[in-house]
């Protein structure tokens, strides 16, 4: 175990990060976690100094591997005070000019770095898409949380400040990617975003933004949600939506709400709701109907000229 891991165990913060991991994982059987990916070639610091609005945050980042029911082993990161973006490039000669920012979930307390992040980036790479995994600011709660079960509506309202921080980091990342499009070998007009759970909620805020300079050109939300009273702006990006009916954390009706909002605004949207899959299925195979979301997403990307088919 690393020194950070030992401190994590001793400080009592471990329970908070594990709780975050459980928030993004469903119950049921699943395979063991995938091996950790090879180190990425580049990590970009998003702000030149302390990130605005969290100057008082301190302490080292904490990382650990946790066994989570239904997901297997996941790599959890918390106490992120310096947001960064890790670049994952397609194999040589395979890049097609499209890019996606990847926002992992973790209840705005932690980031599930592999399940919702690096594994997704590698999946995108195999389809010619350059991926940027966002390590947005999160930290464990500093005070006692709700004493009993919390409704999703209460969670969504309570975590709004944390979501705003994640969105600020994501907008900064999109601006950086577009400014440096030539260096990354991507097209500035083909920068998308995909988010999972908490990351999907932040992704929807990105898609609802009114400034095209920091709004993705296309977006995907997986077991996510958006503010129920929000209206997509003119020029809102096409949205791909996936969730499972048996999700115990984020009601699948929230995904239906996204689809209805985009349809009412006459903006393109595609919705896939699966009977089984729970929450936190990521890109892994778990022998559940929700495993097929990846095929639908690949087809959606190909139809838009953003990906090439890959053999798994």
């Amino acid at each position: 175990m690393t020194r950070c891991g030992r401190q994590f165990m001793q400080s009592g913060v471990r329970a908070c990060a594990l709780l975050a991991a459980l928030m993004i994982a469903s119950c049921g059987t699943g395979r063991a976690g995938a091996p950790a990916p090879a180190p990425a070639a580049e990590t970009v610091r998003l702000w030149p100094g302390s990130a605005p609005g969290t100057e008082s945050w301190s302490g080292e980042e904490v990382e650990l591997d946790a066994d989570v029911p239904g997901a297997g082993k996941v790599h959890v990161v918390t106490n992120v005070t310096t947001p960064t973006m890790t670049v994952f490039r397609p194999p040589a000669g395979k890049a097609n000019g499209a890019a996606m920012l990847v926002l992992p979930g973790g209840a705005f307390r932690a980031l599930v770095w592999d399940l919702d992040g690096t594994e997704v980036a590698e999946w995108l790479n195999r389809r010619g898409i350059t991926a940027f995994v966002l390590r947005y600011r999160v930290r464990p709660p500093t005070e006692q949380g709700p004493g009993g079960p919390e409704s999703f509506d209460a969670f969504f309202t309570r975590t709004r400040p944390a979501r705003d921080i994640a969105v600020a980091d994501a907008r900064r990342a999109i601006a950086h990617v577009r400014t440096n499009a030539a260096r990354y070998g991507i097209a500035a007009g083909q920068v998308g975003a995909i988010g999972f759970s908490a990351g999907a909620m932040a992704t929807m805020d990105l898609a609802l933004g009114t400034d095209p300079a920091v709004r993705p050109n296309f977006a995907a939300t997986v077991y996510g949600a958006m503010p129920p009273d929000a209206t997509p702006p003119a020029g809102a990006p096409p949205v791909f939506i996936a969730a499972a009916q048996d999700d115990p954390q984020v009601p699948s009706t929230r995904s239906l709400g996204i689809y209805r909002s985009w349809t009412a605004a006459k903006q393109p949207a595609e919705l896939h709701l699966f009977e089984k899959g729970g929450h936190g299925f990521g890109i892994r195979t778990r022998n559940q109907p929700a495993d097929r979301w990846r095929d639908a997403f690949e087809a959606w990307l190909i139809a838009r000229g953003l990906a090439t088919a890959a053999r798994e």
Side-chain angles (χ1 to χ4, degrees):
M1 180 180 288
T2 65
R3 179 170 62 88
C4 284
R6 287 192 294 271
Q7 291 175 343
F8 196 68
M9 294 286 289
Q10 295 165 357
S11 66
V13 178
R14 180 177 185 275
C16 298
L18 285 175
L19 175 60
L22 289 169
M23 285 286 291
I24 54 78
S26 66
C27 296
T29 58
R31 69 171 177 81
E42 181 181 359
T43 298
V44 178
R45 181 168 175 160
L46 294 176
W47 302 94
S50 297
T54 58
E55 291 85 355
S56 64
W57 289 17
S58 61
E60 296 182 34
E61 287 186 6
V62 178
E63 304 193 28
L64 85 161
D65 292 323
D67 288 312
V68 177
K73 182 173 288 185
V74 298
H75 190 70
V76 180
V77 182
T78 191
N79 206 45
V80 177
T81 62
T82 301
T84 61
M85 176 177 67
T86 306
V87 186
F88 287 78
R89 299 177 185 269
K94 298 295 185 181
N96 61 19
M100 287 203 85
L101 186 67
V102 181
L103 286 75
F108 297 110
R109 295 181 174 188
L111 303 175
V112 186
W113 188 245
D114 53 357
L115 178 69
D116 289 345
T118 60
E119 293 172 14
V120 177
E122 292 177 329
W123 186 91
L124 292 168
N125 287 170
R126 292 192 292 274
R127 286 149 184 85
I129 299 173
T130 303
F132 302 83
V133 184
L134 183 64
R135 189 171 289 216
Y136 56 89
R137 284 169 283 170
V138 292
R139 64 172 178 171
T142 56
E143 58 187 25
Q144 186 68 32
E150 184 180 34
S151 70
F152 178 77
D153 286 340
F155 167 83
F156 195 76
T157 300
R158 176 176 60 80
T159 56
R160 176 61 189 267
R163 195 169 81 243
D164 289 344
I165 289 170
V167 171
D169 291 342
R171 286 176 174 156
R172 183 83 174 181
I174 290 174
H176 174 88
V177 170
R178 288 201 171 118
T179 299
N180 295 276
R183 178 159 69 89
Y184 292 124
I186 59 101
Q190 290 188 335
V191 179
I194 182 170
F196 298 79
S197 193
M201 299 171 206
T203 296
M204 289 314 304
D205 283 348
L206 290 175
L208 288 163
T210 56
D211 183 358
V214 289
R215 187 173 65 199
N217 300 106
F218 54 100
T221 169
V222 187
Y223 33 90
M226 64 176 273
D229 57 348
T231 301
V239 173
F240 177 92
I241 311 155
Q245 186 184 38
D246 65 346
D247 189 328
Q249 302 296 344
V250 181
S252 61
T253 52
R254 291 306 185 105
S255 289
L256 182 59
I258 297 170
Y259 176 79
R260 285 174 170 165
S261 294
W262 248 249
T263 300
K266 295 182 170 53
Q267 302 294 341
E270 181 166 317
L271 171 66
H272 295 268
L273 290 179
F274 299 89
E275 180 187 0
K276 300 289 185 180
H279 190 82
F281 43 81
I283 214 77
R284 297 180 182 179
T285 298
R286 304 189 319 155
N287 300 316
Q288 296 273 9
D291 291 353
R292 309 308 295 179
W293 84 270
R294 302 165 300 184
D295 301 329
F297 184 45
E298 181 183 64
W300 185 81
L301 291 169
I302 291 172
R304 296 188 166 276
L306 299 167
T308 52
R311 293 182 179 179
E312 296 289 15

